[in-house]
């Protein structure tokens, strides 16, 4: 498990682009498109969750990252702020335009432009980001992108235990366990109708970073079943566009198909052929061969 985690972290710089760029735009009630100029990129989608508004910033950066703002009645919560400076500028300008103070900042899987402010994180994650694997990933980003990325946060962290509800800006939150083949971060229940996960459950083929072996497939299925059981109607991720409960059910069905084919097909080539045949035209097909090879490399 540790080896898989370190391997996933070390290649995160190229993670998710092919899988998540084509993900569904379901569940967004309105879209605020930022006018393109030299300092603005990506776009915002605003989702009314009754007890709050969820502002989803699809950055269009190299990792297909998404960042978020949760708008309560009188104040704001930031979640997974952008890594790249151009996106951070767009995000901060949009944040200021909402005209409410920032009550707290949450960082789950992705460190961003939070400066010296206190970060709320799930229990155990502050130690992970100090560790060799996560530090190695951030050092890789610094070497790859230079001054295009923001400085690492310098503020203190506040840890919140899993399955312990807390309220920020009048909005209830709960950290629940994410898939055990991923970072030891959390899925986050936001209000009564939304869940944040590392990966949005879009209607696309998965890649080997999402699940590299059959244990990972099982872990992802368990994660999806857990977030569906919350009763949420909107599902967002650090990579990918907002999704619906229908998308979650599709992803569960898709992972069941992977298990069926892994049990029945003799080799990676036959597996890949049958998976593509089962889902003709599904985005992300270019990653299926590599996924198959990874799944069949495991005994």
């Amino acid at each position: 498990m540790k080896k898989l985690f370190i391997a996933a972290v070390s290649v995160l710089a190229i993670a998710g682009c092919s899988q998540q760029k084509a993900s569904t735009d379901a569940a967004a009630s309105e879209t605020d498109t930022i006018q393109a100029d030299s300092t603005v990129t990506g776009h915002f989608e605003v989702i009314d969750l009754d007890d709050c508004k969820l502002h989803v910033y699809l950055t269009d950066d190299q990792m297909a990252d998404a960042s978020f703002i949760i708008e309560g009645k009188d104040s704001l919560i930031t979640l997974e702020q952008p890594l790249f400076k151009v996106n951070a500028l767009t995000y901060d300008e949009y944040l200021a335009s909402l005209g409410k103070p920032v009550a707290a900042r949450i960082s789950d899987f992705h460190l961003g432009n939070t400066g010296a402010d206190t970060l709320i994180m799930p229990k155990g994650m502050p130690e992970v980001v100090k560790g060799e694997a996560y530090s190695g990933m951030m050092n890789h980003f610094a070497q790859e992108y230079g001054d295009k990325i923001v400085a690492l946060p310098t503020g203190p962290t506040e840890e919140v235990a899993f399955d312990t509800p807390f309220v920020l800006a009048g909005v209830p939150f709960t950290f629940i366990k994410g898939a055990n083949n991923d970072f030891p971060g959390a899925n986050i229940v936001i209000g009564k109708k939304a869940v944040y996960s590392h990966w949005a459950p879009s209607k696309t083929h998965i890649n080997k970073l999402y699940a590299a072996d059959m244990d990972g497939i099982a872990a992802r299925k368990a994660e999806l079943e857990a977030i569906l059981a919350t009763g949420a109607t909107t599902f967002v991720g650090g990579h990918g566009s907002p999704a619906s409960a229908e998308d979650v059910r599709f992803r569960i069905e898709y992972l069941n198909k992977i298990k069926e084919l892994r049990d029945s097909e003799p080799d990676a080539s036959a597996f890949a052929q049958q998976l593509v045949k089962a889902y003709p035209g599904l985005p992300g097909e270019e990653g299926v061969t590599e996924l198959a090879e990874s799944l069949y490399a495991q005994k």
Side-chain angles (χ1 to χ4, degrees):
M1 187 63 67
K2 183 178 179 182
K3 289 182 179 178
L4 287 176
F5 170 65
I6 293 174
V9 170
S10 66
V11 298
L12 192 60
I14 58 172
C17 295
S18 61
Q19 177 180 341
Q20 300 294 346
K21 286 284 190 181
S23 55
T24 179
D25 291 330
S29 60
E30 65 178 288
T31 300
D32 251 342
T33 302
I34 304 300
Q35 298 299 314
D37 63 28
S38 60
T39 61
V40 179
T41 187
H43 72 278
F44 280 85
E45 297 180 358
V46 184
I47 304 170
D48 190 343
L49 298 175
D50 293 342
D51 51 357
C52 63
K53 285 186 178 181
L54 179 61
H55 301 255
V56 183
Y57 177 37
L58 301 175
T59 65
D60 290 338
D61 71 8
Q62 289 88 330
M63 274 87 73
D65 283 349
S67 298
F68 307 88
I69 300 165
I70 297 93
E71 181 180 359
K73 182 178 179 180
D74 300 313
S75 55
L76 309 168
I77 308 298
T78 73
L79 170 63
E80 308 290 69
Q81 292 186 211
L83 176 65
F84 288 86
K85 288 181 179 179
V86 64
N87 299 114
L89 178 61
T90 298
Y91 181 93
D92 287 345
E93 288 178 346
Y94 184 90
L95 183 69
S97 76
L98 297 177
K100 297 179 181 180
V102 175
R105 301 183 189 273
I106 300 174
S107 182
D108 190 9
F109 293 100
H110 299 160
L111 294 178
N113 64 314
T114 55
D117 290 347
T118 297
L119 277 179
I120 296 174
M121 304 183 82
K123 185 74 173 179
M125 198 60 184
E127 285 303 310
V128 170
V129 301
K130 297 174 186 175
E132 178 183 352
Y134 202 99
S135 295
M137 177 184 71
M138 299 309 292
N139 288 336
H140 170 77
F141 290 162
Q143 294 172 3
E144 181 76 12
Y145 301 113
D147 64 1
K148 292 182 180 180
I149 63 173
V150 299
L152 288 177
T154 59
T157 57
E158 177 183 335
E159 297 180 70
V160 176
F162 288 91
D163 303 314
T164 304
F166 59 101
V167 177
L168 299 169
V171 180
F173 294 82
T174 305
F175 290 140
I176 61 176
K177 284 287 187 179
N180 62 16
N181 68 324
D182 208 336
F183 292 104
N187 293 321
I188 306 174
V189 181
I190 303 170
K192 298 177 181 178
K193 291 189 174 182
V195 175
Y196 164 84
S197 302
H198 192 184
W199 302 82
S202 56
K203 288 184 179 179
T204 64
H205 285 291
I206 65 169
N207 58 45
K208 73 171 188 176
L209 197 65
Y210 179 81
D213 57 21
M214 292 310 297
D215 286 343
I217 295 294
R220 291 297 185 183
K221 180 184 173 184
E223 175 187 43
L224 292 166
E225 290 171 342
I227 64 174
L228 191 61
T230 66
T233 56
T234 296
F235 301 85
V236 296
H239 304 285
S241 297
S244 67
E246 178 188 352
D247 297 316
V248 179
R249 287 189 285 268
F250 173 86
R251 176 60 62 85
I252 292 171
E253 171 205 303
Y254 176 91
L255 295 181
N256 283 335
K257 188 66 175 180
I258 283 181
K259 184 178 187 306
E260 174 191 325
L261 293 176
R262 182 61 181 82
D263 290 341
S264 64
E265 297 305 318
D267 55 39
S269 178
F271 171 94
Q273 182 179 6
Q274 290 303 315
L275 185 60
V276 170
K277 183 178 179 181
Y279 298 98
L282 193 68
E285 187 176 317
E286 64 277 4
V288 168
T289 297
E290 189 176 30
L291 170 68
E293 291 171 351
S294 181
L295 295 179
Y296 277 75
Q298 309 298 319
K299 300 298 183 183

